[in-house]
Amino acid sequence: MTLRFSHVVARETPKGLAASHFSALVAQRSGGRLVIEVFPNGELYGDDDEMQALQLGAVDLVAPSLSKFGRIGLPEFELFDLPFLFDDLPAVRRITQGPLGQRLFQGLTRQGLVGLGYFDNGFKHMSANRPLLKPADYVGLRMRVQASRVIAEQMRALGARPVTLAFSETRRALQAGVVDGTENPVSNFWTQAMHQVQTDLSLTQHGYLGYAVVTHQRLWLSLSDADRQLISQALQEALVFANQIADRQNEQALAALRLAHTTRIHSLSDSQRLLLRRAVQPVHDALAKRIGAGWMQALARHTR
Ligand code: LMR
């Protein structure tokens, strides 16, 4: 039996490596009876159609960023996009590995989907053809964003114009000047060769990027208990592995970027970061209604 796992990033990103690891574990433990075929780089489906492909059963597994669930009627997932919400990854995991993470997954059943696990990429940074250190630096820039209203509002709060584009179109859009800048962890920036089209990367660490591995109910319910167990167990191990390597992948990408000498890398002072943080703080209140009051209250309880 072959299951198709589609994702939009490069093989040598945290997500790409996790998918390969998962595939290898499943092949080994099922003696080759279960095959997870991985399609990276959006070669099968991109941001705009991978969820639909999953709902139709054209693919069996996807791992979109948590920012991409709002558009399928699950805006509560956009809580992860609230700027400066998490100080570090343990703070994220208190949500994803706790009751709130489970409740978010329950919502997926409304869409015929099953959430199998969360994992991290890391923290996002801002890039453009100029340093982005203070709010005034963002004014007037067209910034590519994922399809998340929270992220769009974050860019507006900084005086930039958000432009929603699929991940696979981003580099080309930067090169063509359709957009001026973007945000992503360094591993995505580097593996998409965005350094060839962006002169400045500012290490703002202003937001979190993580993923959920999702399958469709029809497939999940058709599997035997033993196969469900095998797949779940292999996936949990692959996600632990992914979380362990994510930091390293981002650090390696940053080191490679420094060596490439194409892009200036800026660190922010504490006071610069504080000013950015203040500028985007209104996004939390402005988008509370979209995320849902109940979710915001639960979030406050879990992040306190
Ligand atoms: C993006 O679209 O910027 C990222 O979510 C891509 C990814 O899946 O890491």
Side-chain angles (χ1 to χ4, degrees):
M1 183 179 193
T2 299
L3 306 185
R4 307 203 313 165
F5 187 162
S6 170
H7 68 80
V8 300
V9 294
R11 275 185 210 282
E12 48 304 329
T13 55
K15 178 157 58 184
L17 294 171
S20 309
H21 192 65
F22 170 55
S23 169
L25 287 177
V26 170
Q28 181 200 356
R29 291 182 189 168
S30 68
R33 189 175 50 80
L34 294 175
V35 176
I36 309 281
E37 205 178 342
V38 181
F39 299 88
N41 271 323
E43 61 189 41
L44 213 49
Y45 296 102
D47 288 345
D48 292 333
D49 50 8
E50 68 176 4
M51 289 285 204
Q52 210 185 357
L54 182 68
Q55 285 171 316
L56 294 171
V59 287
D60 304 300
L61 293 149
V62 296
S65 77
L66 300 169
S67 320
K68 292 172 186 167
F69 289 81
R71 55 150 59 169
I72 60 157
L74 298 163
E76 58 270 25
F77 277 81
E78 290 181 14
L79 65 86
F80 290 100
D81 296 328
L82 289 168
F84 294 97
L85 177 65
F86 301 111
D87 288 332
D88 50 27
L89 292 176
V92 175
R93 301 212 182 116
R94 282 197 289 279
I95 304 296
T96 53
Q97 312 302 327
L100 206 53
Q102 278 313 309
R103 267 179 53 208
L104 284 164
F105 271 178
Q106 282 160 18
L108 289 169
T109 55
R110 294 206 300 270
Q111 301 295 343
L113 303 176
V114 183
L116 299 179
Y118 295 94
F119 66 110
D120 303 321
N121 184 317
F123 287 94
K124 296 179 290 186
H125 307 292
M126 298 280 194
S127 69
N129 289 325
R130 65 188 195 210
L132 297 175
L133 306 177
K134 53 185 188 303
D137 298 335
Y138 293 75
V139 173
L141 290 183
R142 285 159 304 173
M143 297 292 283
R144 179 268 169 174
V145 294
Q146 305 181 66
S148 154
R149 298 235 192 119
V150 172
I151 301 177
E153 191 60 26
Q154 164 202 280
M155 293 302 188
R156 277 189 214 104
L158 292 167
R161 295 220 319 262
V163 180
T164 304
L165 283 178
F167 185 65
S168 56
E169 289 164 19
T170 302
R171 188 192 180 282
R172 224 172 321 140
L174 287 167
Q175 182 166 26
V178 173
V179 289
D180 305 302
T182 187
E183 52 158 42
N184 242 305
V186 193
S187 56
N188 276 344
F189 185 82
W190 174 250
T191 53
Q192 293 297 314
M194 291 187 197
H195 62 287
Q196 293 166 357
V197 292
Q198 296 273 267
T199 58
D200 295 82
L201 177 70
S202 302
L203 300 176
T204 46
Q205 202 166 328
H206 61 279
Y208 168 74
L209 179 70
Y211 309 108
V213 182
V214 182
T215 185
H216 57 100
Q217 275 168 358
R218 217 164 342 112
L219 167 79
W220 199 239
L221 299 176
S222 74
L223 295 172
S224 67
D225 283 348
D227 283 350
R228 265 200 299 267
Q229 177 69 22
L230 188 153
I231 291 171
S232 298
Q233 181 61 34
L235 185 68
Q236 292 323 310
E237 291 175 37
L239 300 188
V240 168
F241 164 79
N243 286 347
Q244 283 164 354
I245 60 159
D247 268 353
R248 198 175 65 220
Q249 286 299 119
N250 282 312
E251 275 159 27
Q252 280 175 0
L254 188 60
L257 183 59
R258 285 190 202 283
L259 286 177
H261 293 295
T262 50
T263 306
R264 288 175 296 187
I265 300 166
H266 310 278
S267 296
L268 275 74
S269 67
D270 288 349
S271 60
Q272 284 171 326
R273 226 169 147 258
L274 189 64
L275 284 178
L276 275 189
R277 189 180 186 132
R278 283 204 191 125
V280 294
Q281 197 56 35
V283 175
H284 288 235
D285 284 341
L287 272 292
K289 198 155 153 233
R290 171 166 172 83
I291 292 167
W295 291 103
M296 292 298 284
Q297 281 153 13
L299 186 63
R301 277 198 302 278
H302 286 87
T303 46
R304 211 176 277 151

